[in-house]
Amino acid sequence: LIDEETTGSGTTVTLAGIPSSAKTVSILFDEVSTSGSDTVSIRLGDADGIETSGYISTLGLAQSTFASNSSGSHMPISAGGGGAYLISGIVHLRLMNSSSNRWAYGHTGKATTAIVLTGGGVKSLTAPLSQVEVVTFSGAFDNGVVNLQYTE
């Protein structure tokens, strides 16, 4: 565990301190919710900051595709729903290619007792991964904890 943040306010939570030697990163969510109705997503960052383009990812909600974000601005991990959704689960990031700083991403979790979330994708960075941002695009975080773990 290198960083743990309460998501009690604001629209972003930045988890930093990932060393350039990291090969796997996990972001754990414990009953995270928002006051808005948009998705909760992650963005990857390096020493130059958080990257806001070039994400290729898809989110599945239960048994149907909910959101597609090919070459978009983030990796969605939830389907919105605001405070009615208490998101718990894990996002796994694995370094695919250290020359291009290309990371594969996959996640599983739940939004309520009856909604399963799953998804995945890829993202290349301009430099080694050093931070992850958890973001919502409407409302603000109003509950929960996220933490980050890595292995070298």
Side-chain angles (χ1 to χ4, degrees):
L1 175 69
I2 66 161
D3 201 355
E4 179 172 290
E5 299 288 335
T6 301
T7 57
S9 64
T11 59
T12 63
V13 174
T14 301
L15 303 164
I18 303 167
S20 61
S21 57
K23 304 289 187 253
T24 65
V25 174
S26 297
I27 303 103
L28 293 84
F29 292 78
D30 184 16
E31 298 200 338
V32 172
S33 69
T34 71
S35 62
S37 60
D38 208 344
T39 63
V40 173
S41 299
I42 63 168
R43 290 180 174 168
L44 308 183
D46 52 33
D48 294 327
I50 298 296
E51 296 198 7
T52 60
S53 63
Y55 294 86
I56 302 169
S57 58
T58 298
L59 164 67
L61 171 66
Q63 294 185 16
S64 63
T65 300
F66 181 81
S68 180
N69 192 35
S70 180
S71 299
S73 63
H74 59 280
M75 296 175 176
I77 62 162
S78 80
Y85 285 1
L86 295 176
I87 301 161
S88 296
I90 188 167
V91 174
H92 293 286
L93 298 166
R94 298 200 186 271
L95 182 62
M96 295 175 63
N97 184 321
S98 58
S99 314
S100 64
N101 297 301
R102 189 162 181 87
W103 288 81
Y105 133 87
H107 76 52
T108 57
K110 64 97 180 163
T112 67
T113 56
I115 298 175
V116 175
L117 305 168
T118 187
V122 293
K123 169 74 173 117
S124 295
L125 298 169
T126 57
L129 178 69
S130 64
Q131 58 186 320
V132 173
E133 179 183 75
V134 181
V135 61
T136 184
F137 299 103
S138 72
F141 290 108
D142 59 9
N143 192 72
V145 173
V146 294
N147 67 49
L148 185 140
Q149 301 171 356
Y150 70 86
T151 58
E152 298 181 80

